[in-house]
Amino acid sequence: MSTFDPTAFLPDDLLERIRERAPIHDRENTFPQQDLDELRDAGYLSILVPTERGGAGLGLAEAALLQQRLAGAAPATALAINMHLVWTGVAKVFSDRGVPGLEFVQDGAVAGEVFAFGISEGGNDLVLFGSDTAAVPDGDGGYAFTGTKIFTSLAPVWTRLGLHGLDTTSSDAPKLVFAFVERTDAVTTSDDWDTLGMRGTQSRTTRLNGAMADAAHVVRRIDPGPSPDPIVFGIFSVFEILLASVYTGIARRALELAVATAQKRHSKKTGLAYSQDPDIRWRIADMGLAYDALPPQIAALARDVDDRVDNGVRWFPLLSGVKHRAITMAKHVVDEAMLVAGGGSYFSANELSRLYRDVLAGAFHPSDPESAHSTAASALLGPIES
C-alpha cells in the first residue's frame, strides 16, 4: 500500500511563503489573497474532486492531513479554505453514494471557483436543522433567499455561496432548502470582521435580499429538524472532521515551537537548556500526550466517511466529539506552549501569540461544547424524558 505524501500537494516552499504572510494578514486584518492564488494554482481547491472530473481524487482522510499541515503554517488561511473544502467534501459524499446534484460544485472547483459556507445565523442554535432565512419559491423550481448569514468566511472572494433557508409558503411547507447563489446586487457583505484572532478568514456578515438560486442550483428540500438526508450527514461529517483538523494543526505547530524554544533557552540558575528542566520536560510531554490522541481519531473517522461505513446513530456523537476534543486539546497545548516559551510569547510579533488568539475561535464553531455534551448524553443515557 502506498503512503500518502502531503508534500506533493503542499510543498515546503509553498508552506513557508504562506507562513511568512500569515502575521501580515493578522496584523493588517486582510484576506490572504496570495495564499488563495497559490493554492488554486496548485490544484488545492479541487483535491476532493474525483480524477474523472479533473480533480486530485483524494479522500477526506488525505484532505484532513493536508489541512493539519496548512494550519500549522497559517491557521486563518486553513480555516478559510476549510469552508470551500466542506462543499467539495459534501459533493464527494454525494457522488460516493450515488446521490446526484452537486456535480456543478466539483466542476466549479476544478475551474477555480470558490465556494463559501452560508449556514450560520445569529441566535440560530438549530444550525443545520432550522433557518431564519426566508426561502421563497419562484414557481420554476428556484428560490429567492432573504436573511442574514454570519461568519461567512472567504467573504471577499467567493463566487458561489452555499446556504439554507426555510420555505414556509409551499403546499408541503415547512421545508429547509439548501441551494447555491451567485454574488449579485442582492447580496451585500459588511466590512465588519475585526476580531481577536483568525483575522485572515475575513468571515464577514452577509445579507441576502432576494438572492436567487435557480432550479439547477437548488440541491435539497427536506423537513426541518434532525434528518438522515445526505445533505445533513455530508455537511456535518465533513465540517466537523476538517474543523478538527485545522485546530489539531495549530496544536502541532504550538508543540513544535515549544520544543524549539526549550532547546534554545538556557537557565541562568543552572546553565542548562530548558529542555533539561524536569518541569519543562513534563509540560512538553503533557502537550505531546494530548496532541497524539487526535490525529488517529480524525483519520479513523475520515476513513469511515470515505469507506461509507454505517455508524448509524453513533455518527453524531462521534463527529461532534472529535471536534470538541480537538478544540479542547488545541487550546490546552497552546496554553502550555505559552508557558514554556515564557514572556516573549506575550508579544504580538511572536507566532505563539497569534496561535493563542487563533485557537480561541474554535469555541464558536458548531458543535459548541453544550451541543457536543448534549449529543453524547443522549447517546449514552437516552433522550431527556418529557
Side-chain angles (χ1 to χ4, degrees):
M1 181 181 294
S2 61
T3 302
F4 174 66
D5 179 13
T7 63
F9 296 89
L10 283 176
D12 290 341
D13 59 339
L14 171 57
L15 278 186
E16 282 310 307
R17 291 193 297 274
I18 290 174
R19 189 190 308 282
E20 289 172 2
R21 292 190 288 257
I24 299 171
H25 293 298
D26 174 69
R27 183 173 61 252
E28 298 179 355
N29 194 25
T30 52
F31 181 79
Q33 183 66 52
Q34 282 183 279
D35 294 0
L36 175 63
D37 292 342
E38 289 202 64
L39 290 168
R40 181 193 276 120
D41 290 344
Y44 200 80
L45 298 186
S46 57
I47 55 173
L48 286 168
V49 178
T51 55
E52 59 267 25
R53 300 198 82 92
L58 300 186
L60 186 58
E62 290 82 14
L65 281 175
L66 288 171
Q67 283 297 91
Q68 290 171 50
R69 182 168 163 80
L70 181 57
T77 296
L79 186 60
I81 295 296
N82 235 38
M83 302 311 164
H84 168 89
L85 293 179
V86 166
W87 284 124
T88 60
V90 175
K92 174 177 168 53
V93 167
F94 272 39
S95 61
D96 284 352
R97 290 157 179 77
V99 180
L102 284 174
E103 293 81 5
F104 70 89
V105 169
Q106 295 174 329
D107 295 340
V110 171
E113 285 203 66
V114 178
F115 294 88
F117 193 70
I119 299 295
S120 295
E121 299 168 342
N124 178 16
D125 58 356
L126 293 171
V127 194
L128 280 179
F129 303 149
S131 176
D132 293 328
T133 297
V136 179
D138 68 357
D140 293 317
Y143 275 87
F145 292 87
T146 299
T148 300
K149 301 291 184 175
I150 60 172
F151 296 133
T152 315
S153 300
L154 302 163
V157 297
W158 63 260
T159 58
R160 291 185 191 267
L161 178 66
L163 76 170
H164 71 341
L166 189 65
D167 175 0
T168 61
T169 61
S170 294
S171 59
D172 59 350
K175 291 288 183 181
L176 273 179
V177 182
F178 291 82
F180 287 77
V181 301
E182 295 182 358
R183 191 187 289 274
T184 66
D185 291 342
V187 181
T188 58
T189 300
S190 301
D191 188 6
D192 60 352
W193 188 248
D194 187 9
T195 50
L196 182 67
M198 289 295 188
R199 288 158 65 81
T201 65
Q202 290 302 302
S203 304
R204 304 173 185 175
T205 300
T206 302
R207 292 181 172 82
L208 310 163
N209 186 20
M212 287 300 306
D214 60 29
H217 297 120
V218 174
V219 180
R220 233 50 191 174
R221 293 178 76 254
I222 64 174
D223 293 332
S227 168
D229 193 273
I231 192 71
V232 174
F233 173 75
I235 292 174
F236 196 74
S237 60
V238 179
F239 186 93
E240 298 290 76
I241 288 170
L242 291 183
L243 196 70
S245 299
V246 167
Y247 288 92
T248 298
I250 294 175
R252 177 64 191 180
R253 179 58 178 169
L255 178 56
E256 291 172 352
L257 292 171
V259 168
T261 301
Q263 290 171 336
K264 71 181 181 183
R265 291 184 71 198
H266 286 74
S267 168
K268 291 289 187 182
K269 184 186 299 184
T270 67
L272 298 175
Y274 273 44
S275 60
Q276 301 306 303
D277 183 290
D279 293 330
I280 296 294
R281 293 175 68 84
W282 186 94
R283 198 177 294 281
I284 288 179
D286 188 60
M287 295 163 63
L289 290 169
Y291 165 79
D292 283 343
L294 264 297
Q297 294 179 46
I298 294 170
L301 283 177
R303 282 195 300 270
D304 276 3
V305 176
D306 288 335
D307 295 341
R308 301 183 289 283
V309 173
D310 183 8
N311 284 314
V313 295
R314 294 188 65 239
W315 265 122
F316 289 98
L318 288 172
L319 292 165
S320 61
V322 77
K323 181 268 178 181
H324 173 74
R325 289 189 295 276
I327 301 304
T328 303
M329 176 277 296
K331 187 175 185 304
H332 167 71
V333 167
V334 175
D335 283 345
E336 295 296 294
M338 295 281 286
L339 293 175
V340 170
S345 64
Y346 194 61
F347 285 83
S348 295
N350 191 292
E351 185 177 355
L352 274 173
S353 172
R354 177 164 47 83
L355 296 183
Y356 183 82
R357 290 181 290 106
D358 284 347
V359 80
L360 296 178
F364 301 101
H365 304 295
S367 297
D368 62 23
E370 293 80 11
S371 177
H373 282 80
S374 175
T375 300
S378 293
L380 294 168
L381 300 169
I384 294 176
E385 296 177 2
S386 57

